Structure formats: structure tokens, C-alpha cells
Amino acid sequence: VTMAATRSVMRAVRVFEFGGPEVLKLQSDVLVPVPKENQVLIKVHACGVNPVETYIRSGTYARKPALPYTPGSDVAGVIESVGEHVTAFKKGDRVFTLETVSGGYAEYAVAAANRVFPLPDKLDFRQGAAIGVPYFTAYRALFQKGCAKAGESVLVHGASGGVGLAACQIARACGLKVLGTAGTEEGMNVILRNGAHQAFNHRDPNYTERIKACTGLGGVDIIIEMLSNVNLDADLQLLSCAGRVMVVGCRGRIEINPRDTMSKESSIIGVSLFLATEEERRECATAVLDGIEAGWLKPVVGLEYPLEKVAEAHEDIICSSGARGKMVLLL
């Protein structure tokens, strides 16, 4: 009997057409993928849910995968098998990923070995699924694109979600003054426990005035912006001279007055982890693994869903009233 004939099947979420959360179909007869050279097969224990996965699923995002596909990139689990030429990992190793080849919303996922990292014992699989995209994106936004320096101030707009909390922890560890916004009392408490010096409720009509009062005449040096289609115009008023807004998230259009950038020589800079070079990814990985080792990098897990409730997870990540950490699927 050939290997292929005895290959087992698994549960995996498949998308056959772009659309709303209802296009996410959980199937129980998907073939377990086989790792090729320089790839590994991971038995998935948890997979992070990122807002970008909802945009891709809806078909409105710049990148469209070939249909059908399985969403998901932030996987944490255990190495099941390795392809040829893989020496960094062996069966049984605890790992987390930044992206997968076969999709993470599944019981098994194939990933390129250079997108997989060891998961230290001090973090559980749920936390492992909350590292990849959020922490690499936050590091890229702050340092690779935002040129943040110790002593500068950073406002993390939407700080209670996965990327936001990652940005608060990284910025605090690197000596920045950290301000964060959230939409609930609970969200504000979470960001204060995770590196923010001060928290503001962005549902308070006067919250921008309170941020101005806190930063004084100088303004804020860097804004990490998760919802630029709502906040970008106001962000430009909050910046210091030579301040910069890092656009991490956006759900539509917004009108701004470009003159607001001239008066302070400020910058609006887009951030896409997808465009990072291999060298930049390695730099992110080094910073992240060092942070775990040092103990300040502690992913906060928010809502948890079984794979059967994946459509509900996609609904909630866009529509819920306020994030409290990284949303994960548990397998």
C-alpha cells in the first residue's frame, strides 16, 4: 500500500467562495497535508484569528487566495513530521508560526521551516497562537517603519486587541512613554496591566482633549493606528513635530487635510507585515524571542472558540464592543 493510500484525514475550515462568515465551512474529510522539503507539519493546538483574515474571506482585500482555501496563519502546536533538509525541528517540538502554507484553521498545518519558531515552555499553546502576526506587526510598526526611540511617546489607538497589546508591551520594554485607547473599562484595565502608562476611553467624546492635556504642547511622537478610517484626521492633530502615524488597520476611506502634515512635517506610514524582507522578519523574530526570554513578552488571550464556531469568531472580531487580547481557535 502506498503512503498516499493510508494517509489520514482531518477537520479543517474551507472557504469555497468569498463572502460573509457563513462561507467558512468546517469539513471533516480534508486530507492531512504532507510537508515538502524545507517544510514542517504541525499538529495544531491553537490558531489565532486576525482581522485581516475576515477581509480576505470577504473578497475585499488586495490579496485573494485561490479558492478553495483554509484561512489562518498564527498556529501553535507540536511538530508532527518534517520535510527533507529540515534540521531546526524534530517531531514533538513545541512551536508557533507566523504563516502557514496549508492554512491554520485545521487540525494539521504545513508551514515553511523558516516561518516556524520554538515555543518556550513558559507560554501555553493559546499564548503561542497570539504571538506571530500581532508581535511581528507591532515590532515592524514601532521600529522598522516608525523608527521609535527610547524616550519618545507612543499612542496605541485600539490598544486592547492583539496588535495593540503587543505594541504596548514592546514599547514599554524599549523605554517609550506609552498611551493607549480602548472602548471599555475592562479594555482600559488590560492595557494598563500590559505596559501603558495611561489609558483613554475612545468612546469618551473628549478623549482627544485628554490625550492633548497628557502630552502637553509637544504632542505625541508616534501613533499606532488600528482604525485609520475613523481616527486619521484626529491623529494628525495629536502629533508632535516630525510625528508619524503608523497605519496598521483600516476598514474604509477617510477625508483628511494634507496641510495638517505640513504644519508639523508629520508622516503617515502604511505597515504591512506581508512586505517584510527575510532579514526584517529575522530581526522581528529575534526581538520577539528575546522578549519571551526576558519575560516582558506575555501574550494576552481574549475570546476562545472551538473550530465549530469559527463563523461566530469572524463575526465577533469585527462587531464586538471591545477587544481584550488576542482571539484564538482551540483544537
Side-chain angles (χ1 to χ4, degrees):
V1 182
T2 64
M3 183 60 196
T6 58
R7 218 165 99 210
S8 56
V9 293
M10 64 174 181
R11 294 187 312 143
V13 174
R14 303 291 283 160
V15 175
F16 293 92
E17 58 178 330
F18 296 113
E22 70 282 355
V23 303
L24 297 161
K25 305 290 186 200
L26 180 58
Q27 303 201 300
S28 53
D29 57 353
V30 180
L31 287 176
V32 174
V34 173
K36 301 188 173 80
E37 61 177 351
N38 300 315
Q39 293 181 340
V40 298
L41 179 67
I42 300 165
K43 184 175 190 346
V44 179
H45 286 250
C47 181
V49 179
N50 294 295
V52 69
E53 288 148 23
T54 70
Y55 312 150
I56 294 170
R57 181 216 69 227
S58 70
T60 58
Y61 197 64
R63 293 202 320 277
K64 282 196 182 70
L67 295 167
Y69 77 99
T70 295
S73 57
D74 284 332
V75 159
V78 174
I79 298 283
E80 179 73 17
S81 63
V82 301
E84 277 186 281
H85 312 311
V86 175
T87 54
F89 300 103
K90 62 184 186 309
K91 184 175 164 66
D93 286 352
R94 287 164 45 95
V95 294
F96 71 93
T97 65
L98 187 59
E99 62 186 69
T100 67
V101 176
S102 61
Y105 297 6
E107 290 178 319
Y108 292 90
V110 163
N114 66 352
R115 297 284 188 269
V116 176
F117 307 95
L119 179 65
D121 287 334
K122 62 170 86 169
L123 300 183
D124 63 28
F125 290 118
R126 293 154 49 249
Q127 290 174 302
I131 302 172
V133 169
Y135 282 88
F136 281 58
T137 300
Y139 183 86
R140 181 168 179 76
L142 282 163
F143 298 105
Q144 293 178 340
K145 294 293 166 189
C147 305
K149 292 182 183 62
E152 287 192 313
S153 58
V154 59
L155 169 64
V156 183
H157 226 154
S160 61
V163 179
L165 287 168
C168 288
Q169 290 180 2
I170 294 170
R172 181 65 181 256
C174 295
L176 282 92
K177 180 180 179 182
V178 185
L179 314 176
T181 74
T184 63
E185 197 65 38
E186 197 180 350
M188 289 166 68
N189 290 332
V190 169
I191 61 186
L192 288 169
R193 285 198 302 273
N194 283 280
H197 292 89
Q198 283 188 269
F200 304 86
N201 188 328
H202 56 64
R203 294 179 200 280
D204 169 0
N206 300 321
Y207 84 97
T208 52
E209 295 310 314
R210 295 175 55 193
I211 291 171
K212 281 180 186 164
C214 174
T215 57
L217 293 173
V220 64
D221 299 307
I222 303 172
I223 299 177
I224 307 291
E225 184 52 73
M226 311 304 167
L227 199 59
S228 47
N229 54 298
V230 172
N231 300 322
L232 187 57
D233 186 47
D235 288 343
L236 295 176
Q237 322 301 324
L238 293 172
L239 286 177
S240 64
C241 275
R244 45 260 186 229
V245 180
M246 314 308 302
V247 177
V248 172
C250 183
R251 296 181 188 172
R253 304 174 72 85
I254 185 172
E255 188 173 307
I256 61 165
N257 183 348
R259 177 157 297 190
D260 292 338
T261 65
M262 294 160 63
S263 57
K264 296 172 180 172
E265 292 196 326
S266 53
S267 314
I268 302 166
I269 303 168
V271 180
S272 171
L273 186 57
F274 185 67
L275 296 175
T277 64
E278 205 50 59
E279 192 181 348
E280 287 172 329
R281 286 170 194 267
R282 272 200 298 274
E283 183 195 337
C284 289
T286 303
V288 164
L289 293 168
D290 283 354
I292 297 171
E293 185 64 33
W296 57 257
L297 194 158
K298 289 197 195 76
V300 179
V301 177
L303 296 170
E304 303 173 9
Y305 298 79
L307 208 49
E308 301 78 70
K309 298 214 169 144
V310 63
E312 200 179 309
H314 268 225
E315 185 76 28
D316 291 351
I317 200 167
I318 297 302
C319 301
S320 70
S321 64
R324 295 177 307 282
K326 169 78 175 196
M327 182 182 283
V328 297
L329 299 171
L330 299 179
L331 287 97

